[in-house]
Amino acid sequence: EVQLVESGGGLVQPGRSLKLSCVASGFTFNNYWMTWIRQAPGKGLEWVASITNTGGSTYYPDSVKGRFTISRDNAKSTLYLQMNSLRSEDTATYYCTMAADYWGQGVMVTVSS
Amino acid sequence: DVVMTQTPVSMSVSLGGQVSISCRSSQSLVHNNGNTYLSWYIQKPSQSPQLLIYKVSNRFSGISDRFSGSGSGTDFTLKISRVEPDDLGVYYCGQGTQYPLTFGSGTKLEIK
């Protein structure tokens, strides 16, 4: 059974940093691209970042490019999202997904002073 | 960016009935490799989204055949037949053909 378990969320002040983690199990992690998708409270889905199976290439929308960094440790079956210079509009539930096929339960990030 | 437009925004259906949800993209979703990366998701109350349909018409693992997807190019439809109580939630379409990946704004399905 595929399992994706996110952690690292919480309340953070604007301009500060936060790093999310996602531990994967139930599939061969290093065979799959991974993606972070977020959902602001009461809103729809927004793609945040994707990474190839080897970690050799990464992709971001303009809204987070230069502030967020996606990475992975295939030896630990773990996906990361380093979020810097956080803004109030980054407040959302962040989902770790296996190629947007399987989704984790999500982790809440609140950016507020 | 590819804009995904879903209609209706919400709908109410009787148990056992059938519904159709439309999703239109601002550009063709046919990839250079010939595949069309249009997916459908359901987000049940207080849950994460879950994949229903991928590449327009392929049901994901464990998904009932009451769910069917169709369409091509820029025009896609999700049909749900014999609606059950567990089908309530918000349905999203999403495209994976080109970056940035984008989603429709959702269709809320309520049970009468």
Side-chain angles (χ1 to χ4, degrees):
Chain A
E1 178 192 5
V2 172
Q3 288 200 329
L4 300 165
V5 181
E6 303 97 334
S7 62
L11 174 64
V12 61
Q13 293 179 330
R16 303 298 291 265
S17 299
L18 204 61
K19 186 171 186 177
L20 305 183
S21 299
C22 169
V23 176
S25 61
F27 64 102
T28 305
F29 184 71
N30 59 14
N31 282 353
Y32 291 90
W33 288 40
M34 298 294 291
T35 293
W36 288 97
I37 294 169
R38 68 184 179 185
Q39 186 173 36
K43 301 297 184 182
L45 303 172
E46 181 186 15
W47 169 65
V48 174
S50 294
I51 187 168
T52 57
N53 60 311
T54 63
S57 294
T58 57
Y59 304 86
Y60 307 92
D62 288 345
S63 58
V64 308
K65 195 175 296 182
R67 300 189 299 123
F68 289 13
T69 302
I70 187 172
S71 62
R72 63 193 296 161
D73 184 336
N74 284 346
K76 296 182 178 179
S77 296
T78 301
L79 179 72
Y80 303 99
L81 184 67
Q82 175 68 47
M83 302 184 293
N84 299 331
S85 304
L86 282 162
R87 307 167 179 168
S88 58
E89 55 263 37
D90 296 319
T91 294
T93 296
Y94 285 73
Y95 296 102
C96 166
T97 80
M98 187 196 85
D101 290 352
Y102 291 94
W103 298 55
Q105 85 285 353
V107 61
M108 185 68 199
V109 172
T110 302
V111 183
S112 174
S113 54
Chain B
D1 297 5
V2 178
V3 176
M4 306 296 287
T5 303
Q6 270 184 253
T7 54
V9 172
S10 65
M11 58 196 313
S12 183
V13 62
S14 299
L15 293 176
Q18 177 173 299
V19 300
S20 291
I21 300 171
S22 172
C23 177
R24 290 183 173 172
S25 57
S26 60
Q27 304 172 34
S28 173
L29 297 186
V30 180
H31 192 274
N32 289 341
N33 64 15
N35 290 317
T36 300
Y37 296 100
L38 185 282
S39 299
W40 290 96
Y41 303 86
I42 179 176
Q43 186 171 29
K44 300 178 182 179
S46 301
Q47 293 188 20
S48 308
Q50 58 186 89
L51 180 64
L52 294 170
I53 302 286
Y54 64 96
K55 286 195 286 185
V56 181
S57 60
N58 297 275
R59 276 186 296 276
F60 194 53
S61 175
I63 299 303
S64 167
D65 60 5
R66 297 185 301 103
F67 293 89
S68 63
S70 62
S72 64
T74 62
D75 202 348
F76 306 93
T77 301
L78 174 70
K79 290 186 179 178
I80 312 169
S81 61
R82 305 185 305 279
V83 169
E84 298 179 356
D86 192 48
D87 297 337
L88 76 88
V90 180
Y91 290 79
Y92 294 95
C93 61
Q95 66 83 20
T97 293
Q98 63 174 268
Y99 287 108
L101 309 182
T102 50
F103 297 89
S105 53
T107 296
K108 186 174 184 178
L109 181 64
E110 298 174 322
I111 308 297
K112 285 181 183 175

